[in-house]
Amino acid sequence: ASGQHPRLHPIRAPTFAMKLVSQIRCFGGWLHKFVHQSAAVSCEMTFTVFIPSKAQDQKVPSLYYLSGLTCSPDNFIQKAGAFAAAEREGIMLIAPDTSPRGVPIEGDNDSYDFGVAAGFYVDATEPKWSTNYRMYSYVTEELPELVSGHLPATDKKSITGHSMGGHGALTIYLKNPGSYQSVSAFAPICNPTNCPWGVKAFTGYFGEENKEKWMAHDATVLMRSYEGPKTPILIDQGAADNFLEKELHPEAFAEACEAVGNPLELRMQEGYDHSYFFISTFIDDHIKFHSEHLA
């Protein structure tokens, strides 16, 4: 496949590491879907990548997008409307899955907010989940190694996400100071140790008593002791979001940022909800924000 349009999507020849299963041209660049056998989560994983036309002549920086509860790698690609901005800014977009799939774990598909499509971007420690539910290692180690080894990406990368994925973006950025040039989020779960979604996930993946692990994946807690680069953070939050008061708690994260002097632009968007209509409205702003830090 890579030989058909060598200057438009300069992907190395297919390897056993990952298989190109589809490719579509859009906005001058190319959208690819890959599958590969993951060592991190011990199953086959799928991810999607938009490669801008600029990559035909040089390597480009990357922006990782982490999706929310119930999502697959396709939601962002099909609904966010991010390609025009990514092509304009010369940024590769990488959208992984939200959990392992098809693994033999009883009960992993019983609810929308735990298990399949709800991996919370953590490495589980509870024995039932610890073999497969290692999305933190997948996103921070295995996937970037695949990207750098097989795609025209520079070593500069940033990260963003929505809801559970916003939680993932913020915590991954804060736990790896300097590894990502910038972070932003759409309606992130900012204080998961203090909301039903987070408590359910952390109890299941870490155990009820392992509160130290809970705290290690809470963006508000992490920010309170953060000593990394004081790069500005951008968060957009719909003021009409049904989950705002019960699940998201951006005010707690804002207070933590203020306490340590980390710049935060928290934009409350009047009338907007938790959907991809909200994300698609502001995705251009986020891509431009990251482009400035990836330059």
Side-chain angles (χ1 to χ4, degrees):
S2 60
Q4 295 174 7
H5 307 282
R7 288 185 56 75
L8 291 174
H9 54 105
I11 297 174
R12 297 183 186 182
T15 70
F16 292 110
M18 61 187 209
K19 179 183 178 182
L20 176 64
V21 295
S22 69
Q23 55 185 6
I24 302 170
R25 195 172 186 197
C26 57
F27 291 93
W30 286 85
L31 176 64
H32 305 272
K33 178 177 285 189
F34 295 99
V35 297
H36 70 104
Q37 188 64 34
S38 168
V41 299
S42 299
C43 70
E44 188 173 84
M45 292 292 280
T46 302
F47 66 98
T48 52
V49 181
F50 173 77
I51 302 179
S53 61
K54 187 177 181 179
Q56 65 185 326
D57 298 317
Q58 63 189 79
K59 291 184 176 182
V60 296
S62 304
L63 176 60
Y64 287 75
Y65 178 90
L66 306 184
S67 293
L69 293 167
T70 76
C71 289
S72 75
D74 294 328
N75 294 79
F76 172 73
I77 294 301
Q78 295 173 354
K79 297 179 180 181
F83 303 134
E87 169 66 18
R88 183 186 65 239
E89 302 295 338
I91 292 175
M92 185 183 300
L93 299 177
I94 301 163
D97 208 342
T98 48
S99 76
R101 295 178 189 264
V103 296
I105 301 177
E106 184 180 357
D108 68 346
N109 211 12
D110 286 353
S111 61
Y112 81 96
D113 54 359
F114 184 78
V116 173
F120 266 81
Y121 305 101
V122 301
D123 285 354
T125 56
E126 285 293 282
K128 179 177 179 178
W129 306 95
S130 61
T131 297
N132 301 106
Y133 278 74
R134 303 181 65 248
M135 289 301 294
Y136 178 84
S137 290
Y138 178 75
V139 170
T140 61
E141 297 174 13
E142 186 172 26
L143 186 55
E145 287 177 5
L146 282 172
V147 168
S148 63
H150 300 279
L151 300 177
T154 69
D155 59 359
K156 285 189 174 182
K157 61 184 184 293
S158 292
I159 192 165
T160 187
H162 170 233
S163 194
M164 176 185 73
H167 142 77
L170 292 172
T171 54
I172 285 170
Y173 173 84
L174 293 169
K175 289 171 71 65
N176 298 275
S179 294
Y180 297 85
Q181 308 303 122
S182 51
V183 64
S184 72
F186 299 87
I189 303 171
C190 290
N191 192 193
T193 60
N194 194 36
C195 75
W197 278 341
V199 169
K200 180 176 180 177
F202 289 177
T203 299
Y205 293 134
F206 297 137
E208 188 172 359
E209 304 302 321
N210 197 357
K211 293 301 197 292
E212 186 176 336
K213 271 288 187 183
W214 291 35
M215 299 298 181
H217 289 275
D218 185 312
T220 296
V221 174
L222 289 168
M223 179 55 80
R224 289 171 185 155
S225 59
Y226 179 66
E227 297 179 350
K230 303 295 186 184
T231 305
I233 295 172
L234 173 62
I235 292 178
D236 273 311
Q237 172 62 61
D241 190 325
N242 290 337
F243 302 111
L244 174 57
E245 187 172 330
K246 185 177 181 181
E247 301 284 5
L248 305 179
H249 302 301
E251 73 287 346
F253 187 70
E255 291 170 4
C257 288
E258 184 175 4
V260 299
N262 199 107
L264 168 67
E265 185 175 7
L266 173 58
R267 308 193 305 186
M268 299 299 298
Q269 304 291 0
E270 193 65 33
Y272 286 90
D273 63 7
H274 200 70
S275 73
Y276 269 88
F277 296 108
F278 157 63
I279 295 170
S280 63
T281 301
F282 301 106
I283 189 66
D284 279 27
D285 290 352
H286 284 245
I287 290 175
K288 185 176 180 181
F289 167 80
H290 289 294
S291 179
E292 293 171 356
H293 294 284
L294 289 165

